[in-house]
Coordinates of all heavy atoms in Angstrom, one line a residue:
L1104 N 37.4 -35.0 -61.8 CA 38.3 -34.9 -60.6 C 39.5 -35.8 -60.8 O 40.7 -35.4 -60.4 CB 37.5 -35.3 -59.4 CG 36.4 -34.3 -58.9 CD1 35.6 -34.9 -57.8 CD2 37.0 -33.0 -58.5
R1105 N 39.3 -37.0 -61.4 CA 40.4 -37.9 -61.6 C 41.4 -37.3 -62.6 O 42.6 -37.4 -62.4 CB 39.9 -39.2 -62.1 CG 40.9 -40.3 -62.1 CD 40.3 -41.6 -62.5 NE 39.2 -42.0 -61.6 CZ 37.9 -42.0 -62.0 NH1 37.5 -41.6 -63.2 NH2 36.9 -42.3 -61.1
A1106 N 40.9 -36.5 -63.6 CA 41.8 -35.9 -64.6 C 42.6 -34.8 -63.9 O 43.7 -34.5 -64.4 CB 41.0 -35.3 -65.7
M1107 N 42.1 -34.2 -62.8 CA 42.9 -33.2 -62.1 C 43.8 -33.8 -61.0 O 44.5 -33.1 -60.3 CB 41.9 -32.3 -61.3 CG 41.0 -31.5 -62.3 SD 40.0 -30.3 -61.4 CE 39.0 -31.3 -60.4
G1108 N 43.8 -35.2 -61.0 CA 44.7 -35.8 -60.0 C 44.1 -36.0 -58.6 O 44.9 -36.2 -57.7
I1109 N 42.8 -35.8 -58.5 CA 42.1 -35.9 -57.2 C 41.5 -37.3 -57.0 O 40.8 -37.8 -57.9 CB 41.1 -34.8 -57.1 CG1 41.7 -33.4 -57.1 CG2 40.3 -35.0 -55.8 CD1 40.7 -32.3 -57.1
R1110 N 41.8 -37.9 -55.9 CA 41.3 -39.3 -55.6 C 40.0 -39.1 -54.8 O 40.0 -38.4 -53.8 CB 42.3 -40.1 -54.9 CG 41.9 -41.5 -54.4 CD 43.1 -42.2 -53.9 NE 42.8 -43.5 -53.3 CZ 42.6 -43.6 -52.0 NH1 42.7 -42.6 -51.1 NH2 42.3 -44.8 -51.5
T1111 N 39.0 -39.8 -55.2 CA 37.7 -39.8 -54.6 C 37.4 -41.0 -53.8 O 37.7 -42.2 -54.3 CB 36.5 -39.5 -55.5 OG1 36.6 -40.5 -56.6 CG2 36.6 -38.2 -56.2
V1112 N 37.0 -40.9 -52.5 CA 36.7 -42.0 -51.7 C 35.3 -41.9 -51.2 O 34.9 -40.9 -50.5 CB 37.7 -42.1 -50.5 CG1 37.4 -43.3 -49.6 CG2 39.1 -42.2 -51.0
M1113 N 34.4 -42.9 -51.4 CA 33.1 -42.9 -50.9 C 33.1 -43.6 -49.5 O 33.6 -44.6 -49.3 CB 32.2 -43.8 -51.9 CG 30.7 -43.8 -51.5 SD 29.8 -44.9 -52.5 CE 30.3 -46.5 -51.9
V1114 N 32.4 -42.9 -48.6 CA 32.3 -43.3 -47.2 C 30.9 -43.7 -47.0 O 30.0 -42.9 -47.2 CB 32.8 -42.2 -46.2 CG1 32.7 -42.8 -44.8 CG2 34.2 -41.8 -46.5
T1115 N 30.7 -45.0 -46.5 CA 29.3 -45.4 -46.3 C 29.3 -46.4 -45.1 O 30.3 -47.1 -44.8 CB 28.8 -46.1 -47.6 OG1 27.5 -46.6 -47.3 CG2 29.7 -47.2 -48.0
G1116 N 28.1 -46.5 -44.5 CA 27.9 -47.5 -43.5 C 27.4 -48.9 -44.1 O 27.2 -49.8 -43.3
D1117 N 27.3 -48.9 -45.4 CA 26.8 -50.2 -46.0 C 27.9 -51.3 -45.9 O 29.0 -51.0 -45.6 CB 26.5 -49.9 -47.5 CG 25.3 -49.1 -47.7 OD1 24.4 -49.1 -46.8 OD2 25.1 -48.5 -48.8
N1118 N 27.4 -52.5 -46.1 CA 28.3 -53.6 -46.1 C 29.3 -53.5 -47.4 O 29.0 -52.8 -48.3 CB 27.6 -55.0 -46.1 CG 26.8 -55.1 -47.4 OD1 27.3 -55.3 -48.5 ND2 25.4 -55.1 -47.2
P1119 N 30.4 -54.2 -47.3 CA 31.4 -54.1 -48.4 C 30.9 -54.4 -49.8 O 31.2 -53.8 -50.8 CB 32.5 -55.0 -48.0 CG 32.4 -55.1 -46.5 CD 30.9 -55.0 -46.2
L1120 N 30.0 -55.4 -49.9 CA 29.5 -55.8 -51.2 C 28.6 -54.7 -51.8 O 28.8 -54.3 -53.0 CB 28.7 -57.1 -51.1 CG 29.5 -58.4 -51.0 CD1 28.5 -59.6 -50.8 CD2 30.3 -58.6 -52.3
T1121 N 27.7 -54.1 -51.0 CA 26.9 -53.0 -51.5 C 27.8 -51.8 -51.8 O 27.6 -51.1 -52.8 CB 25.9 -52.6 -50.4 OG1 25.0 -53.8 -50.1 CG2 25.0 -51.5 -50.9
A1122 N 28.7 -51.5 -50.9 CA 29.6 -50.3 -51.1 C 30.4 -50.5 -52.4 O 30.5 -49.5 -53.2 CB 30.5 -50.2 -49.9
K1123 N 30.8 -51.7 -52.7 CA 31.6 -51.9 -53.9 C 30.8 -51.7 -55.2 O 31.2 -51.1 -56.1 CB 32.2 -53.4 -53.9 CG 33.0 -53.7 -55.2 CD 33.5 -55.1 -55.1 CE 34.3 -55.5 -56.3 NZ 34.9 -56.9 -56.3
A1124 N 29.5 -52.2 -55.1 CA 28.7 -52.0 -56.3 C 28.3 -50.5 -56.6 O 28.4 -50.1 -57.7 CB 27.4 -52.8 -56.1
I1125 N 28.0 -49.8 -55.5 CA 27.6 -48.4 -55.6 C 28.9 -47.6 -56.1 O 28.8 -46.7 -57.0 CB 27.1 -47.8 -54.3 CG1 25.8 -48.4 -54.0 CG2 27.0 -46.3 -54.4 CD1 24.6 -48.1 -54.9
A1126 N 30.0 -47.9 -55.6 CA 31.3 -47.3 -55.9 C 31.6 -47.5 -57.4 O 32.0 -46.5 -58.1 CB 32.4 -47.8 -55.1
A1127 N 31.3 -48.7 -57.9 CA 31.6 -49.0 -59.3 C 30.6 -48.2 -60.2 O 30.9 -47.7 -61.3 CB 31.5 -50.5 -59.6
Q1128 N 29.3 -48.2 -59.8 CA 28.3 -47.5 -60.5 C 28.6 -45.9 -60.6 O 28.3 -45.3 -61.6 CB 26.9 -47.7 -59.9 CG 25.8 -47.2 -60.7 CD 24.4 -47.5 -60.1 OE1 24.3 -48.3 -59.1 NE2 23.4 -46.9 -60.6
A1129 N 29.0 -45.4 -59.4 CA 29.3 -43.9 -59.4 C 30.6 -43.5 -60.0 O 30.7 -42.4 -60.4 CB 29.2 -43.5 -57.9
G1130 N 31.5 -44.5 -60.0 CA 32.8 -44.1 -60.7 C 33.8 -43.5 -59.7 O 34.8 -42.9 -60.2
V1131 N 33.7 -43.8 -58.4 CA 34.7 -43.3 -57.4 C 35.9 -44.2 -57.5 O 35.8 -45.3 -57.9 CB 34.1 -43.2 -56.0 CG1 33.0 -42.2 -55.9 CG2 33.6 -44.6 -55.5
D1132 N 37.0 -43.7 -56.9 CA 38.3 -44.4 -57.0 C 38.4 -45.5 -55.9 O 39.0 -46.5 -56.1 CB 39.5 -43.5 -56.9 CG 39.5 -42.5 -58.0 OD1 39.4 -42.9 -59.2 OD2 39.6 -41.3 -57.8
D1133 N 37.7 -45.2 -54.8 CA 37.8 -46.1 -53.6 C 36.6 -46.0 -52.8 O 35.8 -45.0 -52.9 CB 39.1 -45.9 -52.9 CG 39.6 -47.1 -52.1 OD1 38.8 -48.1 -52.0 OD2 40.7 -47.1 -51.5
Y1134 N 36.5 -46.9 -51.8 CA 35.3 -46.7 -50.9 C 35.7 -47.2 -49.5 O 36.7 -48.0 -49.3 CB 34.1 -47.5 -51.4 CG 34.4 -49.0 -51.5 CD1 34.1 -49.9 -50.4 CD2 34.8 -49.6 -52.7 CE1 34.3 -51.2 -50.6 CE2 35.1 -50.9 -52.8 CZ 34.8 -51.8 -51.7 OH 35.0 -53.1 -51.8
L1135 N 35.0 -46.8 -48.5 CA 35.2 -47.2 -47.1 C 33.9 -47.7 -46.6 O 33.0 -46.9 -46.4 CB 35.8 -46.1 -46.2 CG 36.0 -46.4 -44.7 CD1 37.1 -47.4 -44.6 CD2 36.3 -45.1 -44.0

């Protein structure tokens, strides 16, 4: 998706630290 120019954002109710770790593991561009 990134190669196509599409930005991915993970949306979660988790706290920021957990969200950051999962986002890094999954390879998304950003998280909320």
Side-chain angles (χ1 to χ4, degrees):
L1104 292 171
R1105 194 175 300 109
M1107 296 185 296
I1109 297 175
R1110 178 170 171 264
T1111 53
V1112 180
M1113 182 186 76
V1114 180
T1115 177
D1117 287 341
N1118 64 69
L1120 283 175
T1121 301
K1123 180 180 180 180
I1125 293 292
Q1128 186 179 350
V1131 295
D1132 298 310
D1133 202 353
Y1134 63 91
L1135 179 65

